[in-house]
mmCIF file of all heavy atoms in Angstrom:
data_model
loop_
_atom_site.group_PDB
_atom_site.id
_atom_site.type_symbol
_atom_site.label_atom_id
_atom_site.label_comp_id
_atom_site.label_asym_id
_atom_site.label_seq_id
_atom_site.Cartn_x
_atom_site.Cartn_y
_atom_site.Cartn_z
ATOM 1 N N PHE E 1 9.729 -7.875 -2.371
ATOM 2 C CA PHE E 1 10.526 -8.685 -3.288
ATOM 3 C C PHE E 1 11.698 -9.351 -2.563
ATOM 4 O O PHE E 1 11.997 -10.522 -2.797
ATOM 5 C CB PHE E 1 11.035 -7.831 -4.440
ATOM 6 C CG PHE E 1 9.981 -7.504 -5.468
ATOM 7 C CD1 PHE E 1 10.184 -6.516 -6.409
ATOM 8 C CD2 PHE E 1 8.773 -8.188 -5.495
ATOM 9 C CE1 PHE E 1 9.219 -6.218 -7.369
ATOM 10 C CE2 PHE E 1 7.803 -7.896 -6.433
ATOM 11 C CZ PHE E 1 8.022 -6.922 -7.379
ATOM 12 N N GLU E 2 12.367 -8.604 -1.695
ATOM 13 C CA GLU E 2 13.532 -9.148 -0.998
ATOM 14 C C GLU E 2 13.138 -10.283 -0.070
ATOM 15 O O GLU E 2 13.854 -11.287 0.049
ATOM 16 C CB GLU E 2 14.228 -8.046 -0.201
ATOM 17 C CG GLU E 2 14.998 -7.054 -1.054
ATOM 18 C CD GLU E 2 15.685 -5.994 -0.215
ATOM 19 O OE1 GLU E 2 15.419 -5.935 1.011
ATOM 20 O OE2 GLU E 2 16.484 -5.227 -0.774
ATOM 21 N N ARG E 3 11.980 -10.144 0.609
ATOM 22 C CA ARG E 3 11.565 -11.149 1.588
ATOM 23 C C ARG E 3 10.627 -12.199 0.989
ATOM 24 O O ARG E 3 10.216 -13.126 1.674
ATOM 25 C CB ARG E 3 10.880 -10.452 2.765
ATOM 26 C CG ARG E 3 11.752 -9.430 3.491
ATOM 27 C CD ARG E 3 12.953 -10.076 4.156
ATOM 28 N NE ARG E 3 12.551 -10.966 5.231
ATOM 29 C CZ ARG E 3 12.424 -10.587 6.512
ATOM 30 N NH1 ARG E 3 12.696 -9.323 6.855
ATOM 31 N NH2 ARG E 3 12.057 -11.446 7.438
ATOM 32 N N GLU E 4 10.264 -12.019 -0.284
ATOM 33 C CA GLU E 4 9.353 -12.942 -0.972
ATOM 34 C C GLU E 4 8.032 -13.082 -0.219
ATOM 35 O O GLU E 4 7.561 -14.175 0.077
ATOM 36 C CB GLU E 4 10.013 -14.311 -1.161
ATOM 37 C CG GLU E 4 11.228 -14.279 -2.042
ATOM 38 C CD GLU E 4 11.808 -15.661 -2.296
ATOM 39 O OE1 GLU E 4 11.668 -16.531 -1.409
ATOM 40 O OE2 GLU E 4 12.364 -15.875 -3.375
ATOM 41 N N ILE E 5 7.437 -11.933 0.074
ATOM 42 C CA ILE E 5 6.160 -11.883 0.770
ATOM 43 C C ILE E 5 5.221 -10.953 0.018
ATOM 44 O O ILE E 5 5.654 -10.185 -0.855
ATOM 45 C CB ILE E 5 6.311 -11.401 2.233
ATOM 46 C CG1 ILE E 5 7.042 -10.056 2.272
ATOM 47 C CG2 ILE E 5 7.041 -12.448 3.060
ATOM 48 C CD1 ILE E 5 7.225 -9.507 3.668
ATOM 49 N N SER E 6 3.929 -11.026 0.331
ATOM 50 C CA SER E 6 2.954 -10.239 -0.420
ATOM 51 C C SER E 6 2.288 -9.150 0.402
ATOM 52 O O SER E 6 1.442 -8.426 -0.107
ATOM 53 C CB SER E 6 1.864 -11.165 -0.983
ATOM 54 O OG SER E 6 1.235 -11.878 0.056
ATOM 55 N N SER E 7 2.646 -9.022 1.685
ATOM 56 C CA SER E 7 2.025 -7.996 2.511
ATOM 57 C C SER E 7 2.859 -7.721 3.747
ATOM 58 O O SER E 7 3.639 -8.571 4.192
ATOM 59 C CB SER E 7 0.608 -8.428 2.903
ATOM 60 O OG SER E 7 0.601 -9.765 3.327
ATOM 61 N N LEU E 8 2.705 -6.521 4.283
ATOM 62 C CA LEU E 8 3.427 -6.098 5.479
ATOM 63 C C LEU E 8 2.442 -5.566 6.506
ATOM 64 O O LEU E 8 1.421 -4.961 6.146
ATOM 65 C CB LEU E 8 4.430 -4.985 5.150
ATOM 66 C CG LEU E 8 5.414 -5.216 4.001
ATOM 67 C CD1 LEU E 8 6.261 -3.967 3.793
ATOM 68 C CD2 LEU E 8 6.289 -6.409 4.276
ATOM 69 N N VAL E 9 2.760 -5.769 7.766
ATOM 70 C CA VAL E 9 1.973 -5.163 8.835
ATOM 71 C C VAL E 9 2.445 -3.722 8.999
ATOM 72 O O VAL E 9 3.650 -3.455 9.088
ATOM 73 C CB VAL E 9 2.133 -5.939 10.151
ATOM 74 C CG1 VAL E 9 1.408 -5.228 11.291
ATOM 75 C CG2 VAL E 9 1.584 -7.356 9.992
ATOM 76 N N VAL E 10 1.513 -2.794 9.020
ATOM 77 C CA VAL E 10 1.831 -1.367 9.137
ATOM 78 C C VAL E 10 1.849 -0.975 10.608
ATOM 79 O O VAL E 10 0.944 -1.339 11.378
ATOM 80 C CB VAL E 10 0.794 -0.516 8.382
ATOM 81 C CG1 VAL E 10 1.121 0.977 8.518
ATOM 82 C CG2 VAL E 10 0.748 -0.928 6.908
ATOM 83 N N THR E 11 2.878 -0.240 11.015
ATOM 84 C CA THR E 11 2.996 0.199 12.401
ATOM 85 C C THR E 11 3.017 1.724 12.488
ATOM 86 O O THR E 11 3.447 2.409 11.549
ATOM 87 C CB THR E 11 4.277 -0.357 13.052
ATOM 88 O OG1 THR E 11 5.417 0.101 12.302
ATOM 89 C CG2 THR E 11 4.262 -1.873 13.061
ATOM 90 N N ALA E 12 2.556 2.234 13.621
ATOM 91 C CA ALA E 12 2.580 3.673 13.866
ATOM 92 C C ALA E 12 4.020 4.145 13.990
ATOM 93 O O ALA E 12 4.874 3.450 14.572
ATOM 94 C CB ALA E 12 1.802 3.998 15.134
ATOM 95 N N ASP E 13 4.318 5.322 13.452
ATOM 96 C CA ASP E 13 5.687 5.828 13.448
ATOM 97 C C ASP E 13 6.256 5.996 14.852
ATOM 98 O O ASP E 13 7.410 5.661 15.109
ATOM 99 C CB ASP E 13 5.743 7.168 12.710
ATOM 100 C CG ASP E 13 5.584 7.000 11.216
ATOM 101 O OD1 ASP E 13 5.471 5.853 10.752
ATOM 102 O OD2 ASP E 13 5.566 8.022 10.504
ATOM 103 N N GLN E 14 5.456 6.522 15.767
ATOM 104 C CA GLN E 14 5.955 6.859 17.089
ATOM 105 C C GLN E 14 5.967 5.676 18.043
ATOM 106 O O GLN E 14 6.946 5.443 18.744
ATOM 107 C CB GLN E 14 5.104 7.998 17.691
ATOM 108 C CG GLN E 14 5.094 9.269 16.863
ATOM 109 C CD GLN E 14 6.485 9.845 16.678
ATOM 110 O OE1 GLN E 14 7.320 9.803 17.586
ATOM 111 N NE2 GLN E 14 6.763 10.388 15.491
ATOM 112 N N THR E 15 4.879 4.904 18.066
ATOM 113 C CA THR E 15 4.738 3.838 19.066
ATOM 114 C C THR E 15 5.156 2.465 18.573
ATOM 115 O O THR E 15 5.455 1.579 19.373
ATOM 116 C CB THR E 15 3.285 3.759 19.543
ATOM 117 O OG1 THR E 15 2.447 3.344 18.446
ATOM 118 C CG2 THR E 15 2.815 5.108 20.071
ATOM 119 N N GLY E 16 5.126 2.246 17.260
ATOM 120 C CA GLY E 16 5.429 0.927 16.731
ATOM 121 C C GLY E 16 4.286 -0.051 16.856
ATOM 122 O O GLY E 16 4.440 -1.243 16.549
ATOM 123 N N ASP E 17 3.112 0.422 17.277
ATOM 124 C CA ASP E 17 1.951 -0.455 17.409
ATOM 125 C C ASP E 17 1.406 -0.826 16.039
ATOM 126 O O ASP E 17 1.398 0.004 15.112
ATOM 127 C CB ASP E 17 0.841 0.236 18.213
ATOM 128 C CG ASP E 17 1.236 0.478 19.663
ATOM 129 O OD1 ASP E 17 2.094 -0.271 20.151
ATOM 130 O OD2 ASP E 17 0.691 1.414 20.277
ATOM 131 N N PRO E 18 0.926 -2.073 15.849
ATOM 132 C CA PRO E 18 0.314 -2.447 14.564
ATOM 133 C C PRO E 18 -0.982 -1.691 14.346
ATOM 134 O O PRO E 18 -1.862 -1.670 15.216
ATOM 135 C CB PRO E 18 0.074 -3.951 14.718
ATOM 136 C CG PRO E 18 0.043 -4.204 16.192
ATOM 137 C CD PRO E 18 0.956 -3.198 16.801
ATOM 138 N N VAL E 19 -1.103 -1.045 13.177
ATOM 139 C CA VAL E 19 -2.281 -0.216 12.910
ATOM 140 C C VAL E 19 -2.992 -0.596 11.617
ATOM 141 O O VAL E 19 -4.052 -0.052 11.308
ATOM 142 C CB VAL E 19 -1.914 1.288 12.858
ATOM 143 C CG1 VAL E 19 -1.443 1.768 14.213
ATOM 144 C CG2 VAL E 19 -0.852 1.546 11.783
ATOM 145 N N GLY E 20 -2.420 -1.515 10.836
ATOM 146 C CA GLY E 20 -3.078 -1.862 9.584
ATOM 147 C C GLY E 20 -2.253 -2.814 8.750
ATOM 148 O O GLY E 20 -1.303 -3.440 9.227
ATOM 149 N N ILE E 21 -2.616 -2.899 7.488
ATOM 150 C CA ILE E 21 -2.011 -3.840 6.527
ATOM 151 C C ILE E 21 -1.749 -3.120 5.217
ATOM 152 O O ILE E 21 -2.533 -2.289 4.786
ATOM 153 C CB ILE E 21 -2.981 -5.019 6.266
ATOM 154 C CG1 ILE E 21 -3.104 -5.902 7.507
ATOM 155 C CG2 ILE E 21 -2.534 -5.839 5.064
ATOM 156 C CD1 ILE E 21 -1.860 -6.684 7.835
ATOM 157 N N ILE E 22 -0.621 -3.442 4.578
ATOM 158 C CA ILE E 22 -0.355 -2.979 3.213
ATOM 159 C C ILE E 22 -0.015 -4.219 2.388
ATOM 160 O O ILE E 22 0.850 -5.014 2.777
ATOM 161 C CB ILE E 22 0.798 -1.938 3.162
ATOM 162 C CG1 ILE E 22 1.038 -1.447 1.725
ATOM 163 C CG2 ILE E 22 2.076 -2.460 3.779
ATOM 164 C CD1 ILE E 22 0.017 -0.464 1.237
ATOM 165 N N THR E 23 -0.725 -4.415 1.276
ATOM 166 C CA THR E 23 -0.545 -5.601 0.451
ATOM 167 C C THR E 23 -0.145 -5.214 -0.965
ATOM 168 O O THR E 23 -0.207 -4.041 -1.353
ATOM 169 C CB THR E 23 -1.854 -6.409 0.383
ATOM 170 O OG1 THR E 23 -2.807 -5.678 -0.399
ATOM 171 C CG2 THR E 23 -2.426 -6.649 1.778
ATOM 172 N N LYS E 24 0.239 -6.213 -1.742
ATOM 173 C CA LYS E 24 0.511 -5.958 -3.151
ATOM 174 C C LYS E 24 -0.737 -5.414 -3.843
ATOM 175 O O LYS E 24 -0.645 -4.585 -4.749
ATOM 176 C CB LYS E 24 0.986 -7.239 -3.832
ATOM 177 C CG LYS E 24 2.409 -7.643 -3.475
ATOM 178 C CD LYS E 24 2.859 -8.886 -4.227
ATOM 179 C CE LYS E 24 4.303 -9.235 -3.880
ATOM 180 N NZ LYS E 24 4.763 -10.472 -4.562
ATOM 181 N N THR E 25 -1.902 -5.894 -3.420
ATOM 182 C CA THR E 25 -3.152 -5.377 -3.976
ATOM 183 C C THR E 25 -3.257 -3.881 -3.754
ATOM 184 O O THR E 25 -3.635 -3.130 -4.655
ATOM 185 C CB THR E 25 -4.356 -6.066 -3.309
ATOM 186 O OG1 THR E 25 -4.263 -7.462 -3.498
ATOM 187 C CG2 THR E 25 -5.663 -5.562 -3.894
ATOM 188 N N ASP E 26 -2.937 -3.433 -2.544
ATOM 189 C CA ASP E 26 -3.027 -2.009 -2.229
ATOM 190 C C ASP E 26 -2.086 -1.186 -3.099
ATOM 191 O O ASP E 26 -2.439 -0.093 -3.558
ATOM 192 C CB ASP E 26 -2.705 -1.768 -0.752
ATOM 193 C CG ASP E 26 -3.684 -2.435 0.187
ATOM 194 O OD1 ASP E 26 -4.873 -2.491 -0.155
ATOM 195 O OD2 ASP E 26 -3.256 -2.904 1.260
ATOM 196 N N VAL E 27 -0.878 -1.708 -3.321
ATOM 197 C CA VAL E 27 0.082 -0.970 -4.139
ATOM 198 C C VAL E 27 -0.375 -0.926 -5.594
ATOM 199 O O VAL E 27 -0.326 0.123 -6.254
ATOM 200 C CB VAL E 27 1.490 -1.596 -4.034
ATOM 201 C CG1 VAL E 27 2.482 -0.790 -4.874
ATOM 202 C CG2 VAL E 27 1.945 -1.641 -2.583
ATOM 203 N N ILE E 28 -0.849 -2.064 -6.110
ATOM 204 C CA ILE E 28 -1.381 -2.087 -7.474
ATOM 205 C C ILE E 28 -2.544 -1.102 -7.588
ATOM 206 O O ILE E 28 -2.670 -0.379 -8.589
ATOM 207 C CB ILE E 28 -1.848 -3.507 -7.845
ATOM 208 C CG1 ILE E 28 -0.652 -4.423 -8.085
ATOM 209 C CG2 ILE E 28 -2.731 -3.483 -9.095
ATOM 210 C CD1 ILE E 28 0.087 -4.174 -9.378
ATOM 211 N N GLU E 29 -3.386 -1.056 -6.560
ATOM 212 C CA GLU E 29 -4.548 -0.157 -6.622
ATOM 213 C C GLU E 29 -4.132 1.308 -6.684
ATOM 214 O O GLU E 29 -4.817 2.147 -7.278
ATOM 215 C CB GLU E 29 -5.463 -0.386 -5.432
ATOM 216 C CG GLU E 29 -6.765 0.402 -5.532
ATOM 217 C CD GLU E 29 -7.756 0.037 -4.445
ATOM 218 O OE1 GLU E 29 -7.380 -0.674 -3.510
ATOM 219 O OE2 GLU E 29 -8.903 0.489 -4.554
ATOM 220 N N SER E 30 -2.981 1.637 -6.084
ATOM 221 C CA SER E 30 -2.527 3.029 -6.132
ATOM 222 C C SER E 30 -2.267 3.477 -7.565
ATOM 223 O O SER E 30 -2.333 4.669 -7.873
ATOM 224 C CB SER E 30 -1.255 3.205 -5.289
ATOM 225 O OG SER E 30 -0.132 2.615 -5.919
ATOM 226 N N LEU E 31 -1.997 2.526 -8.465
ATOM 227 C CA LEU E 31 -1.781 2.859 -9.876
ATOM 228 C C LEU E 31 -3.084 3.192 -10.578
ATOM 229 O O LEU E 31 -3.083 3.720 -11.691
ATOM 230 C CB LEU E 31 -1.110 1.695 -10.600
ATOM 231 C CG LEU E 31 0.198 1.171 -10.012
ATOM 232 C CD1 LEU E 31 0.719 0.022 -10.856
ATOM 233 C CD2 LEU E 31 1.220 2.282 -9.908
ATOM 234 N N THR E 32 -4.211 2.867 -9.957
ATOM 235 C CA THR E 32 -5.505 3.093 -10.602
ATOM 236 C C THR E 32 -6.201 4.333 -10.073
ATOM 237 O O THR E 32 -7.301 4.644 -10.511
ATOM 238 C CB THR E 32 -6.443 1.891 -10.386
ATOM 239 O OG1 THR E 32 -6.892 1.852 -9.019
ATOM 240 C CG2 THR E 32 -5.756 0.593 -10.726
ATOM 241 N N TRP E 33 -5.579 5.044 -9.112
ATOM 242 C CA TRP E 33 -6.204 6.246 -8.587
ATOM 243 C C TRP E 33 -6.499 7.207 -9.718
ATOM 244 O O TRP E 33 -5.690 7.418 -10.623
ATOM 245 C CB TRP E 33 -5.300 6.937 -7.572
ATOM 246 C CG TRP E 33 -5.196 6.205 -6.276
ATOM 247 C CD1 TRP E 33 -6.039 5.269 -5.781
ATOM 248 C CD2 TRP E 33 -4.142 6.345 -5.318
ATOM 249 N NE1 TRP E 33 -5.602 4.813 -4.578
ATOM 250 C CE2 TRP E 33 -4.444 5.454 -4.266
ATOM 251 C CE3 TRP E 33 -2.996 7.132 -5.238
ATOM 252 C CZ2 TRP E 33 -3.629 5.334 -3.141
ATOM 253 C CZ3 TRP E 33 -2.189 7.019 -4.124
ATOM 254 C CH2 TRP E 33 -2.507 6.130 -3.090
ATOM 255 N N GLU E 34 -7.657 7.812 -9.650
ATOM 256 C CA GLU E 34 -8.089 8.703 -10.721
ATOM 257 C C GLU E 34 -7.703 10.152 -10.442
ATOM 258 O O GLU E 34 -7.796 10.625 -9.313
ATOM 259 C CB GLU E 34 -9.616 8.628 -10.870
ATOM 260 C CG GLU E 34 -10.116 7.289 -11.357
ATOM 261 C CD GLU E 34 -9.603 6.968 -12.733
ATOM 262 O OE1 GLU E 34 -9.613 7.844 -13.597
ATOM 263 O OE2 GLU E 34 -9.175 5.835 -12.933
ATOM 264 N N ARG E 35 -7.289 10.845 -11.459
ATOM 265 C CA ARG E 35 -7.111 12.288 -11.332
ATOM 266 C C ARG E 35 -8.477 12.945 -11.273
ATOM 267 O O ARG E 35 -9.486 12.375 -11.671
ATOM 268 C CB ARG E 35 -6.327 12.831 -12.530
ATOM 269 C CG ARG E 35 -4.923 12.264 -12.616
ATOM 270 C CD ARG E 35 -4.157 12.933 -13.717
ATOM 271 N NE ARG E 35 -4.845 12.815 -14.990
ATOM 272 C CZ ARG E 35 -4.542 13.529 -16.056
ATOM 273 N NH1 ARG E 35 -3.613 14.426 -16.003
ATOM 274 N NH2 ARG E 35 -5.195 13.346 -17.189
ATOM 275 N N ASP E 36 -8.537 14.170 -10.792
ATOM 276 C CA ASP E 36 -9.818 14.835 -10.559
ATOM 277 C C ASP E 36 -10.647 15.008 -11.822
ATOM 278 O O ASP E 36 -11.864 15.108 -11.762
ATOM 279 C CB ASP E 36 -9.587 16.215 -9.915
ATOM 280 C CG ASP E 36 -9.019 16.081 -8.505
ATOM 281 O OD1 ASP E 36 -9.183 15.002 -7.910
ATOM 282 O OD2 ASP E 36 -8.411 17.055 -8.026
ATOM 283 N N ASP E 37 -9.989 15.036 -12.996
ATOM 284 C CA ASP E 37 -10.738 15.278 -14.225
ATOM 285 C C ASP E 37 -11.206 13.984 -14.878
ATOM 286 O O ASP E 37 -11.661 13.984 -16.005
ATOM 287 C CB ASP E 37 -9.889 16.097 -15.215
ATOM 288 C CG ASP E 37 -8.602 15.380 -15.599
ATOM 289 O OD1 ASP E 37 -8.208 14.442 -14.875
ATOM 290 O OD2 ASP E 37 -8.006 15.775 -16.615
ATOM 291 N N ARG E 38 -11.120 12.868 -14.174
ATOM 292 C CA ARG E 38 -11.562 11.606 -14.734
ATOM 293 C C ARG E 38 -12.788 11.116 -13.991
ATOM 294 O O ARG E 38 -13.046 11.460 -12.847
ATOM 295 C CB ARG E 38 -10.439 10.566 -14.659
ATOM 296 C CG ARG E 38 -9.242 10.966 -15.518
ATOM 297 C CD ARG E 38 -8.241 9.853 -15.556
ATOM 298 N NE ARG E 38 -7.118 10.277 -16.409
ATOM 299 C CZ ARG E 38 -6.735 9.600 -17.452
ATOM 300 N NH1 ARG E 38 -7.338 8.516 -17.833
ATOM 301 N NH2 ARG E 38 -5.702 10.024 -18.158
ATOM 302 N N ASN E 39 -13.570 10.271 -14.650
ATOM 303 C CA ASN E 39 -14.794 9.767 -14.045
ATOM 304 C C ASN E 39 -14.498 8.746 -12.961
ATOM 305 O O ASN E 39 -13.549 7.977 -13.046
ATOM 306 C CB ASN E 39 -15.664 9.107 -15.126
ATOM 307 C CG ASN E 39 -16.151 10.111 -16.148
ATOM 308 O OD1 ASN E 39 -16.653 11.156 -15.796
ATOM 309 N ND2 ASN E 39 -15.982 9.785 -17.414
#
């Protein structure tokens, strides 16, 4: 929101190397994760 962007490059904690992507889609999808008792 602060930078007006929709995704960030993910870096490793220790080395700072780029290892992946996190997008608004990924965050929205985290809201749809199912609990174990759901289909």
Side-chain angles (χ1 to χ4, degrees):
F1 284 166
E2 287 181 351
R3 301 296 294 269
E4 296 184 330
I5 54 180
S6 58
S7 46
L8 308 177
V9 175
V10 179
T11 59
D13 287 358
Q14 301 300 323
T15 66
D17 294 335
V19 295
I21 291 291
I22 181 76
T23 70
K24 286 183 178 178
T25 302
D26 297 325
V27 181
I28 287 287
E29 187 172 10
S30 73
L31 305 180
T32 72
W33 288 340
E34 293 297 316
R35 297 186 304 166
D36 293 339
D37 60 342
R38 296 187 179 237
N39 295 312

